[in-house]
Amino acid sequence: MSQFFQIHPETPQVRLIQQAVEIIRQGGVIVYPTDSAYALGCHLGDKKAMERIKRIRQLDDKHNFTLVCRDLAEISTYARVDNQAYRTIKAHTPGAYTFILNATSEVPRRLLHAKRRTIGIRIPDNQIALALTEALGEPIMSTSLILPGEDIPLTDPYEIRDMLQHQVDLVIDGGYCGMEATSVISLLNEAPEVVRKGAGEVSSFE
């Protein structure tokens, strides 16, 4: 049975954030809110937790996981960011964007795109997500909570608990946070490329 925390979306309770982070550190899988939709998350270095997320979503090995980071400085540890990419990311974060970048050696190989060695990076505009990454001290490995056969993420924490209480360790109720996945922007080439239109406005990239 999963735990269920109700965390304030604007002023997250420090005690509950610390408890959630401890669950992540101990290999747990959590459901938590972002600025685009609820997400599944786990520790960056935990292979078993990642495999659990892949089973919940029925993902194959080609799926790109995203690293949810706390700030721009943390991004540069896990992705290669030149000056142009840095300016682009800074102008659009925190926000509902996932940026595709070349990964550094700090990223476990199993998280990378098999052929291109790329990784998705994002800084969400959500106080609970940012508090979790700040307390954890490293990114949360994440993917949108879209169940097999569905096109949109789950939005109701109580429904999520009913459906996944035997498959995850914690569900965080952070209120309504949207039902659209992030916009995905590739920064691999000189000009940004819109890979997926989602919650983030993409007109400045087109």
Side-chain angles (χ1 to χ4, degrees):
M1 292 283 287
S2 64
Q3 297 190 63
F4 189 78
F5 294 173
Q6 290 180 306
I7 298 183
H8 195 283
E10 299 299 330
T11 53
Q13 301 95 313
V14 174
R15 176 180 57 85
L16 293 178
I17 291 292
Q18 292 290 353
Q19 289 178 20
V21 164
E22 198 54 41
I23 289 170
I24 295 171
R25 287 195 177 120
Q26 292 176 0
V29 171
I30 73 165
V31 175
Y32 71 103
T34 74
D35 53 351
S36 58
Y38 276 86
L40 288 160
C42 70
H43 193 274
L44 173 63
D46 198 308
K47 185 178 180 181
K48 287 184 178 178
M50 184 190 80
E51 293 297 335
R52 287 171 60 196
I53 290 176
K54 288 171 73 173
R55 284 197 296 273
I56 290 169
R57 285 207 45 193
Q58 295 182 16
L59 300 172
D60 60 25
D61 290 335
K62 296 175 183 174
H63 180 77
N64 267 343
F65 279 91
T66 295
L67 300 185
V68 172
C69 300
R70 54 186 158 161
D71 55 31
L72 285 161
E74 189 166 71
I75 287 177
S76 62
T77 301
Y78 299 94
R80 304 188 189 284
V81 185
D82 61 23
N83 290 337
Q84 185 173 339
Y86 181 89
R87 286 193 296 269
T88 300
I89 296 169
K90 186 176 182 180
H92 293 85
T93 57
Y97 300 92
T98 299
F99 295 99
I100 306 299
L101 295 155
N102 289 309
T104 69
S105 58
E106 293 295 317
V107 180
R109 183 170 294 181
R110 64 179 177 275
L111 303 187
L112 302 176
H113 187 283
K115 294 180 180 177
R116 295 193 292 270
R117 298 190 62 78
T118 56
I119 189 70
I121 296 282
R122 92 182 203 86
I123 304 173
D125 188 11
N126 179 281
Q127 293 305 311
I128 294 172
L130 292 175
L132 288 170
T133 56
E134 184 69 39
L136 185 62
E138 57 189 314
I140 300 173
M141 190 180 71
S142 297
T143 186
S144 298
L145 180 47
I146 304 173
L147 293 182
E150 301 293 329
D151 296 322
I152 58 174
L154 294 175
T155 60
D156 183 341
Y158 293 92
E159 181 185 8
I160 293 169
R161 179 177 63 176
D162 290 344
M163 295 178 72
L164 297 179
Q165 61 184 332
H166 299 294
Q167 295 171 271
V168 302
D169 300 284
L170 169 65
V171 175
I172 294 177
D173 174 7
Y176 178 76
C177 63
M179 56 185 294
E180 192 173 12
T182 60
S183 293
V184 178
I185 312 297
S186 171
L187 299 179
L188 298 175
N189 300 312
E190 196 167 318
E193 176 189 352
V194 178
V195 178
R196 178 182 73 197
K197 292 183 180 181
E201 173 60 48
V202 298
S203 58
S204 60
F205 298 107
E206 295 179 318

